[in-house]
Amino acid sequence: MDFALSEEQKMLEASLRGFLADRLPMGRRRAIAAAGSGHDAELWTGLVAQGLAGLIIPERHGGAGLGILDAAVAAECLGYHAVPGPFAASVVMASLALQASGTEAQQAAWLPKIASGEVRIAVGFASPVGQTGIAKVALEGTRLSGRVQSAIDGGGATHVLVFLETGQPALAAVDAKGVRATLLASLDRTRPLLDVSLEGAPAIVLSAANDALAARTRVLDAGRVMLAADTLGAAQSMLDQAVAFAKERVQFGRPIGSFQAVKHTLADLATTLEPCRALVWFAAHAQDALPDEARVSALQAKAHLDDVGREVARLATEVHGGMGFTDLQGLHYWWKRIDTNRQLLGTPERCRHEAALVQGWISS
Amino acid sequence: MDFALSEEQKMLEASLRGFLADRLPMGRRRAIAAAGSGHDAELWTGLVAQGLAGLIIPERHGGAGLGILDAAVAAECLGYHAVPGPFAASVVMASLALQASGTEAQQAAWLPKIASGEVRIAVGFASPVGQTGIAKVALEGTRLSGRVQSAIDGGGATHVLVFLETGQPALAAVDAKGVRATLLASLDRTRPLLDVSLEGAPAIVLSAANDALAARTRVLDAGRVMLAADTLGAAQSMLDQAVAFAKERVQFGRPIGSFQAVKHTLADLATTLEPCRALVWFAAHAQDALPDEARVSALQAKAHLDDVGREVARLATEVHGGMGFTDLQGLHYWWKRIDTNRQLLGTPERCRHEAALVQGWISS
Amino acid sequence: MELAYSEQYRALQGEVRAFIAKYGHLSPKPGGGRQRPSKKALDWQKLLLEHGYFARNIPAEYGGFGLPLDVLELAVIAEEIAKGGVYPGIMNQGISMLVPTLLEVGTKEQCAQWIERTIRGEVIWCQGYSEPESGSDLAAARTKADVVDGHFVINGQKIWTSSAHYSDMMFLLCRTEPDQPKHKGLSYLLVPMNAPGIEVRPLVTMTGRATFNETFFTNVRVPTDQIVMGRGEGWHVANVTLKYERLLLGDANRLSARLARIRELMERTNLDGQRVMDIPEYRDRLMRLQGEVMASKYHGLRLLTEQARGEDSGLKRLIVKYNGTLLGYRLSSLAVDVLGAAGLAYDAKDEAAETDEATAWHIDNMYDIGLMIGGGSTNIQKNIIAERGLGLPREPKTAPATRS
Amino acid sequence: MELAYSEQYRALQGEVRAFIAKYGHLSPKPGGGRQRPSKKALDWQKLLLEHGYFARNIPAEYGGFGLPLDVLELAVIAEEIAKGGVYPGIMNQGISMLVPTLLEVGTKEQCAQWIERTIRGEVIWCQGYSEPESGSDLAAARTKADVVDGHFVINGQKIWTSSAHYSDMMFLLCRTEPDQPKHKGLSYLLVPMNAPGIEVRPLVTMTGRATFNETFFTNVRVPTDQIVMGRGEGWHVANVTLKYERLLLGDANRLSARLARIRELMERTNLDGQRVMDIPEYRDRLMRLQGEVMASKYHGLRLLTEQARGEDSGLKRLIVKYNGTLLGYRLSSLAVDVLGAAGLAYDAKDEAAETDEATAWHIDNMYDIGLMIGGGSTNIQKNIIAERGLGLPREPKTAPATRS
């Protein structure tokens, strides 16, 4: 029994945090967000060099061959530093989809390119996943028509992967004929969404999975765990910033952190947030190793982190007083990140509903 | 425009409060609750003398001829003083049911006896009203069979009034043949419930209403407003007790009310509770005067007070520290009263659902 | 309990309706941005003033209508103007805060000099209270003004000066008596914004918009008679001003309107193939909020009644702002959730920002957080509710106290 | 991340299972009331001690099993005993609080005198800390002990002395040095409950049951050597004791079991003709709580791992109790709501109280409030989390301070 990160996972975490603390000071984050493309070549190259893009891709395809728990550790770091750029969909979900539903040849063709950072794949669903918006795509032969309004990880996307209603993923280049991929000016400027319209767009359909819907669900759940881990990191960052601010900021002749109101607010947030880390770790570990627990834990991790994240975001901002409301402090990058994660791949209400279904507590 | 109690209503309130402060010190409340009958002849006689039993009964039938708002003012006083004894059902709902569905002769026969305090009527429903438990009664001729598990105002009940599925109320004496009325040892010892089993019990059916279901709903909503008002009073009492305690109790060399944690808890409770009074007043007034607003306001008043009441009960108890957990302090009479009101005549979830239906926001 | 207006007020209703029927076409569009009033707005303001639908209770000698205060009259006028869809008149910090402050503690000359031009919208004021290092602790202001040959010479920095970039004047809280204890060293000055040495820089907020400013003072000179009350009395004057800010009623109508918009949004938004209104977990949130909005609305009527009777509402009034801002935030949070993924497109920089539904709700949601922070933070409001409303003891002074 | 036990622990699992298979029929029923252990319980306790399934890490010279601490072993034993449905051994304040305190700060003689008999269940202790006027502020204790010819003579009153009516001994915090500052005037005495002058009166709680007592002292005499550490060092000793109380892990298994019971209750309870589980507003509350219980459970595993490694868990450990008690309260509140009107029949006085489902849930719900209050109120726990866990500054001392 050892419920903890491995030494390797701790090293991954330390390495990423070191890299990001060094390369992504607030000014840099601000500049990339202002540019609005959701992709910065220099930062991306650095992250690829950290092994981020190939994290869960097998070594034979040029990746590090790690698992979902490792990816969750990385996602928490990315959330903590509000990193502009793709990860949850582009790296984790797309790689998983290829591994689950691609032929060996398709995997050999695409996975190395994902691992090298050359191919970046926005991901969308043409069937209900618990989020609002238009999501309807039809396949005729190998051509796609329809629209996915909010594909995830639009930043720097070279391709888009759409899960069809059958569960099969279909891959299309964003610059192909018949594809109109519009990068949205999104609430979270660090990770803009992609509005994808398809009119007879040529696509590669990945059909090698025995059970396409089950494979899709595994990808979806892994994505949910990534968003939960991202929110965990973002919320932890906001709490840490609020604690630091409360120690330094003096009002009425005392650090505001010595006032019981501020103190108890922060104690409440810490009490709610800290156990979330174990939940995210468990959910991530379950995707790799505990099939019976995988679904419920992914759904509950997503739902719970969405709720805790929002509460942390609100109160950590409040602790900062007026400064929290300014752009100067930059706290809003995390606020918007948390809010965005909440709305994607299943809102908390929908995830909880699905968790009840999955456990057979209600019938659909 | 005058959104306030009238001078007469303020006098009613002052008179009842004076009477209760004088006649119902903690020891007396404790003694009546311990006896467990939910009825105390001396207290009841005093309350009848205050005009409580005939409050909404027309003057020609021996009552004061007042309205639901007046009754809500009284109910708040009864909740504030955690008064052992019947009111919401026995006085308000039963009187209303007779006025709405009784013939002139039936009214002339029963209303004066209610007003005099001689007849006390527990009320139950044999159709869904948003509460758990067995509630099924059939009428054959003028005889009732079935069971209502949780009739309200069992304390000292001489009769029981059961609303049939058709909406018609049927009245039976608790000591009639075929009636087995068991006073429950209830959570709220001041207002025990009545478990009523009927086997061919002789009943008087009140059939004079044009629309029996609509008449039933008006009685039900009035009951909901009474419970909301009772919870308002009970919660206000708990808050007042907590504020007084926080001013007096010294720990760490200071009154605990000078600690921000206690101060802000009480400020939060006051901020949530105070606007509830206007909501209860409006809902009560609407039953009398604003038919378009009557249903939604009754449902929302019940639901909102149930939720606010529970929060006030929890935190007001916490402010009292260990003393709040003892029987010595007696705070639990209010706690149990609030919890009981919550479960009766429609839980908050069910009331909100019904409010959405009533407004046509969803279809049933 | 009587929810209808008596005859006197129904007559006023009729008058206002007739006024709107006759002149309504001259009204500018209600709402609108933070900018100097247009010619159209100034003309309309003049009409409102002439009819007593603005500044109704300000003495006629200072440009008002000179009637005694009757809050029901004010409520009737506000309701009819809202119903008529016309512009309710210019609202800014000069009108809501400075004017009542001058009436209470200003000299006759100051009233004569400023009030009429302010209520006519000709002179625009901004507020110079907060500083980067003194947010909730306003009395710690460090912007200083030294007296040099008949002038205050001001140096320092103010923040949250919302309309500073188009204002004519600022009412400024600054330290003129550095040797005095904290609260006794402040003065309340009236400063022309075109004085040399004032620099206004836009302050971008978390919404991405620059609706506030920072204002910097470098040797700004103001004659020493441009002061309200005396030197060292600035804290008293500022509290008079803040009292008027806190007197503003929480606007329950705004909350009701917001609730109605969310209801409508839930009826037309689809999630997983269902109307969001038909998903009970969402609907229950709406219904909870409806209950709270109703409580807030009727509480407002209760306060209005007490105010009309001249009663002191005490606790009942103190809770309004905190209650309203928290409720507003929870409403906009529900809206943001109902919009969901389809509502994540956001561009607040564009002029059209407020016409895009999703962007507007997100801005509201963030602004609601700002409201909880601004104008006395939530914690300070809770202290006030507990101490003034419930009579709980103040926190004891701390031992190594800064002299104050 | 490895959720299975390694071979060493699987071996221990096997041992415990074999023990239960062999001796399980001798076990008393788990749970049960607050009373002296029965003969059966004492015999079973002996078996547990002999096999090292109780007091595993207490030195053999004091009656324990003498093994070094390995929390995973303790977890394995606890799990198997729970799974096997046998009695886990006697648990009381003497065993959980006094014994580790004596081991840490007691003399060899005191350890030899008390520990073995305590862990065998032969000597039962109660705790004498709280007083009516000092609840959260324990150091303000006023029960006093004067020294008269080689004895402490004790006068005063303690409250919340849960097992006082059947205890042999009390560990008592009282004031022996009235001239010393508050925290330096206390001593920690060991008092026989049969000493003349002690009166125990039952204390009825809001549940209607008398599970606590008040204990009154009138000239109670105890030899002066019945003290742990020295005179005036009582506050230090009491904090050692409280440390062990706070070290007890929040029991996530208890929360999971509670959740499962509510789920089952929701599946068989009907409301308006539907299963409560099928009413989404209720179900969503259950699902939320499931998420939180899961977080709490895995957080417990994380702590267990850290403890096994001898790491200092800091904040992570400090939050456990507050998190667990609040979650417990919310769970029982949901249960009470699911039971609804049909669950309002309540009779806690009867011996059968805990077998009636509705009564048991209501008792739990009220008891959960008691837990939030007891053992350091919620507010004190939040102070500890913020100050020790997050490093926030303490509240400054108040100006007109009571000397301490």
Side-chain angles (χ1 to χ4, degrees):
Chain A
M1 216 298 296
D2 193 53
F3 194 97
L5 298 185
S6 66
E7 287 311 310
E8 292 74 18
Q9 284 157 344
K10 286 183 190 163
M11 280 174 56
L12 168 67
E13 187 172 37
S15 161
L16 261 176
R17 291 200 179 220
F19 173 82
L20 291 166
D22 184 40
R23 303 292 184 84
L24 195 65
M26 184 61 86
R28 187 100 188 84
R29 180 181 299 109
R30 195 183 296 283
I32 301 174
S37 73
H39 178 66
D40 178 75
E42 189 188 329
L43 180 64
W44 180 244
T45 306
L47 287 168
V48 170
Q50 290 280 320
L52 195 77
L55 209 61
I56 65 156
I57 289 172
E59 293 178 64
R60 70 176 191 284
H61 291 309
L66 299 177
I68 300 295
L69 178 53
D70 308 273
V73 169
E76 188 188 337
C77 294
L78 299 178
Y80 193 89
H81 290 274
V83 175
F87 179 71
S90 182
V91 169
V92 178
M93 294 172 79
S95 301
L96 270 186
L98 274 155
Q99 292 177 63
S101 304
T103 62
E104 187 55 35
Q106 286 168 331
Q107 294 188 42
W110 291 97
L111 290 174
K113 290 184 187 164
I114 296 178
S116 72
E118 173 191 345
V119 159
R120 291 173 299 272
I121 305 177
V123 174
F125 289 82
S127 52
V129 293
Q131 65 180 48
T132 58
I134 300 162
K136 199 163 175 60
V137 174
L139 176 72
E140 278 190 54
T142 59
R143 300 206 168 257
L144 299 174
S145 294
R147 182 173 169 207
V148 172
Q149 194 181 354
S150 318
I152 304 182
D153 282 353
T158 58
H159 293 74
V160 59
L161 183 85
V162 177
F163 283 88
L164 303 172
E165 275 198 84
T166 56
Q168 292 174 317
L171 188 65
V174 294
D175 56 4
K177 196 166 173 331
V179 177
R180 201 177 64 224
T182 311
L183 202 62
L184 295 171
S186 300
L187 180 69
D188 178 359
R189 283 281 190 281
T190 64
R191 297 173 307 157
L193 301 171
L194 201 66
D195 188 343
V196 183
S197 289
L198 303 159
E199 287 178 44
I204 299 164
V205 180
L206 309 178
S207 308
N210 283 331
D211 182 340
L213 282 171
R216 161 197 172 279
T217 301
R218 280 196 298 278
V219 173
L220 178 56
D221 282 347
R224 286 169 172 157
V225 174
M226 290 306 113
L227 296 185
D230 192 278
T231 290
L232 171 65
Q236 186 69 57
S237 173
M238 291 189 86
L239 176 57
D240 290 353
Q241 291 181 64
V243 168
F245 188 85
K247 288 177 187 171
E248 279 166 26
R249 173 79 168 181
V250 172
Q251 295 276 280
F252 304 103
R254 298 160 53 176
I256 61 169
S258 71
F259 287 99
Q260 229 180 9
V262 172
K263 197 177 280 193
H264 287 198
T265 297
L266 293 170
D268 277 331
L269 296 184
T271 301
T272 318
L273 184 59
E274 190 57 45
C276 291
R277 185 159 290 107
L279 176 60
V280 167
W281 287 357
F282 179 84
H285 177 64
Q287 306 308 306
D288 286 330
L290 306 167
D292 288 350
E293 315 252 22
R295 295 237 56 213
V296 173
S297 63
L299 291 160
Q300 286 287 17
K302 174 69 167 67
H304 187 50
L305 267 297
D306 287 342
D307 282 344
V308 172
R310 171 171 282 181
E311 196 65 2
V312 173
R314 172 170 79 88
L315 291 167
T317 303
E318 252 190 73
V319 166
H320 279 82
M323 284 309 290
F325 187 57
T326 63
D327 177 57
L328 295 170
Q329 189 81 16
L331 210 59
H332 63 90
Y333 290 108
W334 287 267
W335 164 292
K336 291 167 182 171
R337 196 166 179 113
I338 289 169
D339 217 352
T340 295
N341 289 342
R342 180 182 177 97
Q343 309 303 343
L344 297 173
L345 301 185
T347 63
E349 290 82 2
R350 291 278 85 189
C351 285
R352 286 192 292 265
H353 179 79
E354 194 174 334
L357 280 171
V358 163
Q359 293 174 92
W361 294 357
I362 51 170
S363 45
S364 53
Chain B
M1 218 296 298
D2 193 54
F3 193 96
L5 297 185
S6 65
E7 287 310 310
E8 292 74 17
Q9 284 157 344
K10 287 183 190 164
M11 278 173 58
L12 168 67
E13 188 172 34
S15 161
L16 261 175
R17 290 197 179 221
F19 172 81
L20 291 166
D22 183 42
R23 302 291 184 85
L24 195 64
M26 184 63 85
R28 187 97 189 86
R29 181 181 300 109
R30 196 184 295 283
I32 300 174
S37 73
H39 178 67
D40 179 75
E42 187 188 330
L43 180 64
W44 180 245
T45 306
L47 287 167
V48 170
Q50 289 280 319
L52 195 76
L55 209 61
I56 64 157
I57 289 172
E59 293 178 64
R60 69 177 191 282
H61 292 308
L66 299 177
I68 300 296
L69 179 55
D70 307 273
V73 169
E76 188 188 338
C77 293
L78 299 178
Y80 193 90
H81 290 273
V83 174
F87 178 69
S90 182
V91 169
V92 178
M93 295 172 76
S95 300
L96 270 185
L98 274 155
Q99 291 177 62
S101 304
T103 61
E104 188 55 38
Q106 286 167 331
Q107 295 187 42
W110 292 97
L111 290 174
K113 291 183 186 163
I114 296 177
S116 72
E118 171 191 347
V119 159
R120 292 173 298 271
I121 306 178
V123 175
F125 289 82
S127 54
V129 292
Q131 65 180 47
T132 59
I134 300 162
K136 201 162 174 56
V137 174
L139 177 72
E140 277 189 56
T142 58
R143 300 205 166 258
L144 300 175
S145 294
R147 182 175 168 208
V148 172
Q149 194 181 353
S150 319
I152 304 181
D153 281 352
T158 57
H159 293 73
V160 58
L161 184 84
V162 177
F163 282 88
L164 304 173
E165 274 197 87
T166 56
Q168 291 172 317
L171 188 65
V174 295
D175 56 5
K177 197 165 170 336
V179 177
R180 201 177 65 224
T182 312
L183 203 61
L184 295 172
S186 300
L187 180 69
D188 178 0
R189 284 280 190 283
T190 63
R191 295 173 307 159
L193 300 171
L194 200 66
D195 188 343
V196 182
S197 288
L198 303 159
E199 287 179 47
I204 299 163
V205 180
L206 310 178
S207 309
N210 283 332
D211 182 339
L213 282 172
R216 161 197 173 277
T217 301
R218 280 196 299 279
V219 172
L220 179 56
D221 282 346
R224 287 169 171 156
V225 174
M226 289 308 113
L227 296 186
D230 191 278
T231 290
L232 171 65
Q236 186 68 58
S237 172
M238 290 189 87
L239 176 56
D240 289 353
Q241 291 182 63
V243 168
F245 188 85
K247 288 178 187 171
E248 279 167 26
R249 172 79 168 180
V250 172
Q251 295 277 278
F252 305 103
R254 299 160 51 177
I256 61 169
S258 71
F259 287 98
Q260 232 181 6
V262 172
K263 198 177 278 193
H264 287 199
T265 296
L266 294 170
D268 276 332
L269 296 184
T271 301
T272 317
L273 184 60
E274 189 56 45
C276 291
R277 186 159 289 108
L279 177 61
V280 167
W281 288 356
F282 180 83
H285 177 64
Q287 306 308 307
D288 286 331
L290 306 167
D292 289 349
E293 315 252 21
R295 296 239 53 215
V296 173
S297 63
L299 290 159
Q300 286 287 17
K302 174 68 167 65
H304 187 51
L305 267 297
D306 286 342
D307 282 345
V308 171
R310 171 172 282 182
E311 198 64 4
V312 172
R314 173 171 79 88
L315 291 167
T317 303
E318 252 190 75
V319 166
H320 279 81
M323 285 310 290
F325 187 57
T326 63
D327 178 57
L328 295 170
Q329 190 79 18
L331 209 58
H332 63 91
Y333 290 108
W334 286 268
W335 164 294
K336 291 167 181 172
R337 195 165 179 113
I338 288 170
D339 218 351
T340 295
N341 288 342
R342 179 183 178 96
Q343 309 303 344
L344 298 172
L345 301 185
T347 64
E349 290 82 3
R350 293 276 85 192
C351 285
R352 287 193 291 264
H353 179 79
E354 194 173 336
L357 281 170
V358 164
Q359 292 173 93
W361 294 358
I362 51 171
S363 45
S364 53
Chain C
M1 184 75 66
E2 171 55 63
L3 300 188
Y5 285 111
S6 66
E7 196 175 329
Q8 165 197 1
Y9 299 104
R10 287 205 304 277
L12 178 61
Q13 272 179 339
E15 275 176 41
V16 183
R17 282 178 202 166
F19 167 82
I20 293 172
K22 184 165 175 194
Y23 296 110
H25 64 286
L26 298 175
S27 165
K29 220 179 111 205
R34 291 157 180 272
Q35 54 199 12
R36 280 199 86 90
S38 62
K39 171 78 170 59
K40 192 168 187 179
L42 292 172
D43 288 346
W44 176 253
Q45 184 80 356
K46 210 171 148 220
L47 270 177
L48 291 175
L49 286 165
E50 282 166 13
H51 287 80
Y53 303 151
F54 198 94
R56 188 175 182 85
N57 312 122
I58 286 177
E61 57 183 307
Y62 303 139
F65 203 67
L67 284 181
L69 177 68
D70 178 336
V71 292
L72 290 183
E73 286 187 351
L74 301 184
V76 164
I77 293 166
E79 279 168 24
E80 291 307 318
I81 282 186
K83 273 192 230 158
V86 296
Y87 186 58
I90 297 165
M91 194 38 64
N92 58 41
Q93 291 174 324
I95 291 170
S96 63
M97 295 167 76
L98 179 73
V99 166
T101 301
L102 287 182
L103 284 169
E104 185 167 331
V105 299
T107 61
K108 282 207 164 208
E109 291 69 29
Q110 285 170 331
C111 289
Q113 186 180 2
W114 296 116
I115 292 178
E116 179 156 9
R117 288 195 292 153
T118 300
I119 62 180
R120 294 173 74 94
E122 293 161 10
V123 174
I124 309 289
W125 296 79
C126 59
Q127 182 194 48
Y129 280 11
S130 294
E131 299 183 8
E133 296 301 316
S134 64
S136 46
D137 187 8
L138 283 181
R142 297 197 293 202
T143 294
K144 61 172 185 167
D146 303 321
V147 175
V148 180
D149 52 5
H151 285 73
F152 289 111
V153 179
I154 308 166
N155 283 282
Q157 179 190 355
K158 292 289 173 180
I159 196 171
W160 305 113
T161 50
S162 43
S163 54
H165 55 298
Y166 60 81
S167 287
D168 305 293
M169 297 289 299
M170 173 185 277
F171 47 96
L172 173 75
L173 187 67
C174 62
R175 190 156 305 280
T176 55
E177 327 297 315
D179 304 334
Q180 292 293 316
K182 182 173 167 185
H183 294 83
K184 301 206 166 145
L186 299 167
S187 295
Y188 189 99
L189 309 185
L190 306 179
V191 182
M193 289 300 286
N194 63 359
I198 293 184
E199 188 196 347
V200 176
R201 293 187 207 151
L203 177 69
V204 179
T205 71
M206 67 187 290
T207 66
R209 302 199 301 176
T211 38
F212 294 93
N213 301 285
E214 293 178 282
T215 302
F216 297 83
F217 298 82
T218 313
N219 296 322
V220 174
R221 291 170 65 87
V222 180
T224 48
D225 61 353
Q226 293 304 303
I227 184 170
V228 179
M229 296 188 70
R231 284 175 58 170
E233 296 184 305
W235 183 241
H236 176 68
V237 182
N239 273 296
V240 172
T241 308
L242 289 170
K243 178 180 75 179
Y244 287 102
E245 185 184 34
R246 294 203 183 102
L247 273 180
L248 297 171
L249 275 180
D251 188 350
N253 292 333
R254 192 180 55 86
L255 296 175
S256 297
R258 204 178 249 209
L259 185 88
R261 282 165 55 212
I262 299 173
R263 193 208 84 211
E264 187 268 329
L265 180 65
M266 287 176 65
E267 286 176 341
R268 70 179 148 83
T269 304
N270 271 271
L271 175 51
D272 288 355
Q274 300 172 73
R275 295 192 319 161
V276 173
M277 183 63 91
D278 288 328
I279 303 178
E281 295 91 337
Y282 285 85
R283 184 179 62 241
D284 196 53
R285 279 174 68 188
L286 178 76
M287 301 312 296
R288 272 174 206 264
L289 288 166
Q290 184 185 36
E292 294 185 50
V293 168
M294 286 171 73
S296 173
K297 176 176 158 188
Y298 302 126
H299 184 70
L301 293 183
R302 189 176 169 210
L303 282 177
L304 185 64
T305 301
E306 292 187 354
Q307 210 183 340
R309 294 177 176 181
E311 294 171 6
D312 175 10
S313 298
L315 173 75
K316 293 192 283 293
R317 178 177 301 286
L318 297 173
I319 63 172
V320 167
K321 186 178 169 192
Y322 172 46
N323 182 264
T325 47
L326 191 54
L327 194 45
Y329 166 76
R330 289 170 55 219
L331 283 162
S332 60
S333 295
L334 174 57
V336 160
D337 285 347
V338 173
L339 288 158
L344 291 173
Y346 178 87
D347 199 350
K349 291 249 166 83
D350 198 297
E351 273 305 305
E354 284 167 56
T355 65
D356 176 64
E357 183 175 35
T359 299
W361 275 118
H362 279 287
I363 290 178
D364 278 352
N365 190 229
M366 290 184 251
Y367 218 91
D368 290 337
I369 283 287
L371 285 175
M372 281 197 253
I373 292 166
S377 78
T378 297
N379 286 338
I380 288 185
Q381 291 197 46
K382 289 191 203 177
N383 279 346
I384 292 173
I385 293 167
E387 291 167 11
R388 295 192 210 158
L390 299 174
L392 289 168
R394 296 177 62 101
E395 277 198 277
K397 291 238 186 287
T398 54
T402 29
R403 294 282 151 231
S404 66
Chain D
M1 184 73 69
E2 172 55 63
L3 301 188
Y5 285 112
S6 67
E7 199 176 324
Q8 168 197 357
Y9 299 105
R10 288 205 303 277
L12 178 60
Q13 272 180 339
E15 276 176 40
V16 183
R17 282 178 203 167
F19 167 83
I20 294 171
K22 185 165 174 191
Y23 296 109
H25 62 285
L26 299 175
S27 164
K29 220 178 113 208
R34 292 158 179 269
Q35 52 199 11
R36 278 198 87 90
S38 63
K39 171 78 170 59
K40 193 169 187 180
L42 292 172
D43 290 345
W44 176 253
Q45 183 81 354
K46 210 169 149 222
L47 270 177
L48 292 175
L49 286 165
E50 282 166 12
H51 287 80
Y53 303 151
F54 198 96
R56 188 174 181 85
N57 312 122
I58 286 177
E61 58 184 307
Y62 303 139
F65 204 64
L67 285 182
L69 178 67
D70 179 335
V71 291
L72 289 183
E73 286 187 351
L74 301 184
V76 164
I77 293 166
E79 280 168 24
E80 292 307 318
I81 282 186
K83 273 191 230 160
V86 296
Y87 186 57
I90 297 165
M91 193 39 63
N92 57 41
Q93 290 174 325
I95 291 171
S96 63
M97 296 167 75
L98 179 73
V99 166
T101 301
L102 287 182
L103 283 169
E104 187 169 328
V105 300
T107 62
K108 283 206 164 209
E109 291 68 30
Q110 285 170 330
C111 290
Q113 185 180 3
W114 296 117
I115 293 180
E116 179 156 7
R117 289 195 290 154
T118 301
I119 62 180
R120 293 171 74 93
E122 293 161 12
V123 174
I124 308 291
W125 295 80
C126 58
Q127 181 194 48
Y129 281 10
S130 294
E131 299 183 5
E133 295 302 315
S134 65
S136 47
D137 187 8
L138 283 182
R142 298 198 292 204
T143 294
K144 62 171 184 167
D146 302 323
V147 176
V148 181
D149 54 5
H151 285 73
F152 289 111
V153 179
I154 309 166
N155 282 283
Q157 179 190 356
K158 292 289 173 180
I159 195 170
W160 304 114
T161 50
S162 43
S163 54
H165 54 299
Y166 60 81
S167 287
D168 305 295
M169 297 288 299
M170 172 184 277
F171 47 97
L172 172 75
L173 187 65
C174 61
R175 191 158 303 280
T176 55
E177 326 298 313
D179 302 334
Q180 293 292 315
K182 182 173 165 186
H183 293 83
K184 300 203 167 148
L186 299 166
S187 296
Y188 188 101
L189 309 185
L190 306 179
V191 182
M193 290 299 286
N194 63 1
I198 293 184
E199 188 197 349
V200 176
R201 292 186 207 154
L203 177 68
V204 179
T205 71
M206 67 188 289
T207 65
R209 302 200 301 176
T211 39
F212 295 92
N213 300 286
E214 293 178 284
T215 301
F216 297 82
F217 298 82
T218 312
N219 296 321
V220 175
R221 290 168 66 87
V222 179
T224 47
D225 60 354
Q226 293 303 303
I227 185 170
V228 180
M229 295 189 71
R231 283 175 58 171
E233 296 184 305
W235 182 241
H236 175 68
V237 182
N239 273 295
V240 172
T241 307
L242 288 171
K243 177 179 75 178
Y244 288 101
E245 185 184 34
R246 293 202 185 105
L247 273 179
L248 297 171
L249 276 179
D251 188 351
N253 292 333
R254 193 180 54 87
L255 296 175
S256 298
R258 203 179 252 207
L259 185 87
R261 281 165 56 212
I262 299 173
R263 193 209 80 211
E264 188 267 331
L265 179 65
M266 287 176 66
E267 286 176 341
R268 68 179 149 82
T269 304
N270 272 272
L271 175 51
D272 288 355
Q274 298 172 75
R275 293 192 321 160
V276 173
M277 183 63 90
D278 288 328
I279 303 180
E281 295 91 337
Y282 285 86
R283 184 178 62 241
D284 196 54
R285 280 175 67 187
L286 178 76
M287 301 312 296
R288 272 175 205 263
L289 288 166
Q290 184 186 36
E292 294 185 52
V293 168
M294 286 172 74
S296 173
K297 175 176 160 188
Y298 301 126
H299 184 71
L301 293 183
R302 189 177 168 210
L303 283 178
L304 185 63
T305 300
E306 293 187 354
Q307 211 183 338
R309 294 177 174 181
E311 294 171 8
D312 175 12
S313 298
L315 173 75
K316 293 192 282 294
R317 178 176 301 286
L318 297 173
I319 63 172
V320 168
K321 186 178 171 193
Y322 171 46
N323 182 265
T325 47
L326 191 53
L327 195 44
Y329 166 75
R330 289 171 53 218
L331 283 162
S332 59
S333 296
L334 174 56
V336 160
D337 284 347
V338 172
L339 288 158
L344 291 174
Y346 178 89
D347 199 348
K349 292 253 168 80
D350 200 295
E351 272 304 304
E354 283 166 58
T355 65
D356 176 64
E357 184 175 34
T359 299
W361 275 119
H362 279 286
I363 289 177
D364 278 352
N365 191 230
M366 290 185 251
Y367 219 88
D368 290 335
I369 284 286
L371 285 176
M372 282 198 255
I373 291 166
S377 78
T378 297
N379 286 338
I380 286 184
Q381 290 197 47
K382 289 192 204 178
N383 279 346
I384 291 173
I385 293 167
E387 290 167 12
R388 296 192 208 156
L390 299 173
L392 289 168
R394 297 176 62 102
E395 277 198 277
K397 291 236 187 291
T398 55
T402 29
R403 292 285 150 228
S404 65

